[in-house]
Structure formats: C-alpha cells, structure tokens
Amino acid sequence: MFDYNFHWRPVMRSLPDLIDAAFLTLQVAVLAMILGIVIGLCLALIRLHKTGPLLWLASTWVELARNTPALFQLFFFGFGLGAFGLHLSPYMIVLAGLTFNCAGYLAENFRGGFQAVPDTQVRAARSLGMTAWQTYTRIVIPQVFRIVYHPITNQMVWAVLMSSLGMLVGFRELSGETQFFASRTFRIFEYFTVTAVIYYVIVKIILGASRLLAMRLFRY
Amino acid sequence: MEPTVSFFSGFTLNDLWFLGEAALRTMWISALSITIGTVLGVLFGWVLYEGKWIATLTVAPFLDIFRSVPLIIQLVLFYNFAPIVGLNLDPFASGVVILTIYTAALVANVARGGMEAVPAPMRRAARSLGMTYWQDLRHVVLPIGGRAVFPAWVGVALGVMKDSALVSVLGYVELLKASQILITRTQEPFLILTLAGAFYFALSYPISRYAATLERKWAQ
C-alpha cells in the first residue's frame, strides 16, 4: 500500500529533545498568557473608562491584534522592527508576538466580562464605603473572572498552538526543534507525526487541568 | 572609489503589483476553503447534533484532532503524507485540503451550537404543523439557529482567512510569502510588512465590524 519505509527509530532517539522543546513551548505560552492577561486587563479598562490618546492606543492595539494574522505579527516583531535597528532574539520575537496577540483577544473578552457586571453593584459597593480599588478587586474582578475563565482557557490553548509559528522565525520550540531534526534526517513525516501527538497531549492536559481547576474554583 | 554593485533594489510599482496578485491568491485560497469547509462543517455539525453517542465516538474525536494540533503542523504533515499514499498534490491543493478540513472542524461546533439554540418546542410545533423533518430543518432551524451563530461563523471565517498565511510554509506564494520575497530583495521590511498587514486589516476589520453590528441589531 505504501511505497515508503517508515523509520521511527531516529524520532524515538530524539524524543527527549522533543520533550524538552515541548516544555520550552509551554514556557513561552504560559509567559505570554500571563503578560497577555495583565496587558489585556489594562486594555479593557482603558477602552471602558478612558478617552483621548490612551483610548486610541488601546483600540488600535486590540483591532490590530484581532484583524491581522498571528504570523504577520511575529514577522513584524522579527523583521519589521529591524528597520529601527531593534533586533530581538527568536525567543523574544515569539514572546512579544504571542503577548501582543493574546492581549488583544483577551482585552475583548475582559471588556465583555466587565460589561456583564451590573453598574449598580459598583455603586452599592462604593456607597458601603469601599474604595475604587476595593470595589474592583473584591466585587468586580471575581465576577469577571468567572465569565472569562473559559475564554482564558481557550486562549491558553491558542497560545500553545500559535507558538508553533516560532518555527518560521528560527525559534527552536517544539515545532522548530522538529523542523531541525526533520531536515537533518529527512524523516519529515515521522517527526511531525510525533510532534502532532505531543501537541495534542499538551492541549488535552491544559483542558483537563482547566476543568479540574474550575471544579475547585467555582463550587458555589 | 568604484561604485559598488548592490544586490538589492528599491521598492517599485511592479512590486506593488506582485503584492496585489499575492493578495488575490490569499483571497482565492481562503474563499475556496471557507466555502467547502462551511458546507462540510454544517454537515458534521448536523451529524454531531443528531448522531448521539455514535457521532461522539467517531466524528467528534476526528474533528477534535484538527482543533488541537497547530495548523502549521497539519499542513507540513499532510504535504509530506500525500506522496506516501501516492497523491501528488501541489502546495495549493494541499493547502486547500487542510484549510478546508480545519474550517469544517471549527464550523461543526458552531453549527451544532446553532442547532441547539433552536428551542425544542418550536421544532415540535413545526413537525405538528405537518412539516417533514427536512422542511423543519430548512425553514425553522436554518433561519433561527443560523442567525444565532452567524457572528461566530464570521469569526471562524476571518480566522481561516488569516490562518491561510500559514500555507506559505509549503511554498505557496500568498500575501505574506510574497512580502517575505520582496523583503529579501528590497531590504525594506517595515514598508512591505505594513502594506501586507494593511491589506489583511482592510479585509478583516470591516467584516468583523459588520458582524458585530448585525449581532447587536439581532440581539434587540
């Protein structure tokens, strides 16, 4: 049936390296998500409450992140910034690109979350003598967090999948490492099959962990 | 001093034409994949909705794989797998096949959501008025469910349009690949990337805004 001999041995031999690379993938994705959540939160609050140049900046960020390909964003951080003499390492390119993208997408989710918390609750909290900071951290954010929990999980999965684009800017995370080994041994199909399985497992672990965490967090 | 010969030349009007052609190719491959993928996806969605546990055991895991493995890995894998089973596909055909299945996997979930959004009593009412099963699907489920998930579908379609940039890894010269070729020659990454990004943005932004407006109008 197949006019091809499958050779899995070289793949198995470099499996430890692939697993290491998978941890690098996870590391970049998690870092980008943490930064993305912080920046996304800021962007959402700016878009809800501020006017002027700050609003313009936040809106531009969100719309650019959502309406251009992630690969374009990576290229921009990789090559586009080179025009200004700014040369980032492949790791930084992927981290910056992913953060930019995640922050944009998360900002829209957060905005929806904030709008879902009724204004009257904020007023009630303030009239009970809470400061604005207390109102946000104790009343608004916990409720918003519940609403955006699933979007955040999805975005985490997307971040892992998107980090595979690092392959195209010379970053040796899971995909880049696979590409490296594959072009050395010409066992492209075998290598990428194993990588696909690893990605699948990572995604399933993230989704499973998120579900477990949700059961503990949202018991009431 | 002798004038040095440069391998690089500036950005000319011809290059703009080259980019424009590449942009048309991006639109062509996306339009084709989104159209076929949506039809397939609605079919899968219907199978998921009606199939109960048989579909849960067969179709669902299959579609799940395409959502849990990075698109770039899928593309490389399929492109290298096709010759093994004796198919000789060019980058364009491989790209269309994978983008179509990818779209179908995403649309299937959206379509199932749409079918679940139609209240059961309404469907029973349609059937008791003498409509056949297919009439009920065509005249009741399609307008009501379709309207509920139309914005989500637009999101998927725009996502696929942006993700079509990844077909460049197979060597298909779409917009982003074309801009890379030009960057190598002209050494003007900022200008060219801005042009490419502006094109994606100009295509994606109005459509996403239109979908958001429709969603707001229908929500009332």
Side-chain angles (χ1 to χ4, degrees):
Chain A
M1 176 183 181
F2 298 123
D3 188 18
Y4 183 82
N5 292 318
F6 291 94
H7 288 278
W8 299 97
R9 181 154 307 177
V11 189
M12 288 311 141
R13 232 185 345 247
S14 44
L15 197 59
D17 287 326
L18 290 182
I19 303 276
D20 279 351
F23 277 108
L24 191 59
T25 285
L26 213 54
Q27 184 198 352
V28 173
V30 168
L31 267 180
M33 271 308 281
I34 294 172
L35 289 172
I37 288 173
V38 173
I39 299 174
L41 210 53
C42 296
L43 291 177
L45 287 175
I46 290 172
R47 290 192 85 188
L48 282 172
H49 296 303
K50 292 273 190 281
T51 50
L54 218 51
L55 174 69
W56 185 85
L57 186 80
S59 302
T60 311
W61 182 320
V62 172
E63 298 302 348
L64 273 183
R66 290 170 61 90
N67 288 303
T68 56
L71 184 57
F72 160 78
Q73 291 161 20
L74 280 193
F75 279 173
F76 199 86
F77 281 106
F79 313 124
L81 289 185
F84 303 113
L86 204 64
H87 295 283
L88 302 175
S89 69
Y91 185 90
M92 285 309 290
I93 294 173
V94 175
L95 183 59
L98 281 188
T99 305
F100 180 79
N101 192 285
C102 288
Y105 276 90
L106 286 172
E108 275 302 271
N109 290 328
F110 289 152
R111 195 165 71 133
F114 279 118
Q115 279 170 340
V117 178
D119 222 22
T120 44
Q121 288 194 17
V122 177
R123 261 176 273 152
R126 293 306 297 274
S127 66
L128 282 172
M130 285 184 169
T131 62
W133 175 254
Q134 282 175 327
T135 311
Y136 259 96
T137 51
R138 296 185 192 177
I139 308 292
V140 180
I141 303 258
Q143 297 188 64
V144 172
F145 182 66
R146 242 168 226 247
I147 300 171
V148 297
Y149 184 79
H150 285 292
I152 286 182
T153 308
N154 282 338
Q155 192 64 38
M156 180 68 217
V157 171
W158 277 113
V160 168
L161 298 188
M162 253 193 295
S163 70
S164 64
L165 301 180
M167 177 171 123
L168 301 176
V169 291
F171 182 41
R172 278 176 58 181
E173 36 65 74
L174 184 49
S175 300
E177 191 80 351
T178 310
Q179 169 90 327
F180 174 76
F181 280 121
S183 48
R184 217 168 52 170
T185 59
F186 282 110
R187 293 290 151 202
I188 302 174
F189 178 75
E190 288 89 332
Y191 268 105
F192 276 90
T193 305
V194 170
T195 302
V197 172
I198 298 177
Y199 271 113
Y200 186 80
V201 171
I202 294 178
V203 168
K204 285 297 140 192
I205 289 175
I206 292 173
L207 289 178
S210 151
R211 203 160 296 157
L212 280 179
L213 199 63
M215 281 202 294
R216 275 201 62 74
L217 283 174
F218 308 134
R219 261 180 301 188
Y220 313 109
Chain B
M1 206 170 101
E2 291 272 304
T4 51
V5 178
S6 175
F7 291 106
F8 310 127
S9 52
F11 188 75
T12 62
L13 215 58
N14 261 336
D15 298 337
L16 205 60
W17 181 245
F18 180 63
L19 271 185
E21 269 185 331
L24 281 183
R25 257 176 253 141
T26 285
M27 282 166 78
W28 169 229
I29 198 170
S30 332
L32 205 60
S33 320
I34 291 170
T35 313
I36 311 173
T38 302
V39 173
L40 277 179
V42 171
L43 210 65
F44 283 138
W46 174 73
V47 170
L48 285 178
Y49 179 71
E50 290 289 347
K52 308 289 176 253
W53 61 271
I54 300 176
T56 316
L57 286 181
T58 52
V59 184
F62 170 74
L63 296 178
D64 193 42
I65 289 172
F66 285 90
R67 270 181 271 121
S68 308
V69 173
L71 187 58
I72 198 166
I73 304 283
Q74 294 176 31
L75 285 166
V76 175
L77 210 50
F78 182 73
Y79 189 53
N80 287 289
F81 173 71
I84 293 177
V85 290
L87 283 168
N88 256 326
L89 294 176
D90 59 350
F92 176 76
S94 310
V96 169
V97 170
I98 285 298
L99 276 179
T100 299
I101 303 178
Y102 181 69
T103 314
L106 294 174
V107 169
N109 261 7
V110 171
R112 179 174 50 176
M115 289 171 199
E116 278 163 2
V118 183
M122 199 177 273
R123 301 195 59 179
R124 257 177 264 137
R127 293 304 298 276
S128 62
L129 281 172
M131 284 184 169
T132 63
Y133 177 79
W134 299 107
Q135 278 177 329
D136 166 41
L137 267 192
R138 162 76 186 75
H139 297 288
V140 177
V141 178
L142 184 67
I144 295 173
R147 185 173 275 215
V149 293
F150 181 73
W153 176 79
V154 171
V156 169
L158 287 179
V160 172
M161 191 273 285
K162 285 178 273 169
D163 285 340
S164 74
L166 299 186
V167 182
S168 59
V169 274
L170 305 184
Y172 182 63
V173 185
E174 44 67 67
L175 185 55
L176 216 50
K177 181 80 182 173
S179 62
Q180 281 238 288
I181 294 171
L182 285 183
I183 287 170
T184 314
R185 208 201 70 223
T186 63
Q187 297 293 306
E188 282 187 83
F190 189 74
L191 171 72
I192 292 164
L193 276 178
T194 306
L195 279 176
F199 174 80
Y200 280 112
F201 192 81
L203 202 61
S204 166
Y205 184 66
I207 298 177
S208 66
R209 283 308 285 266
Y210 180 65
T213 318
L214 270 187
E215 190 177 12
R216 221 170 304 132
K217 215 163 73 185
W218 286 345
Q220 282 166 5

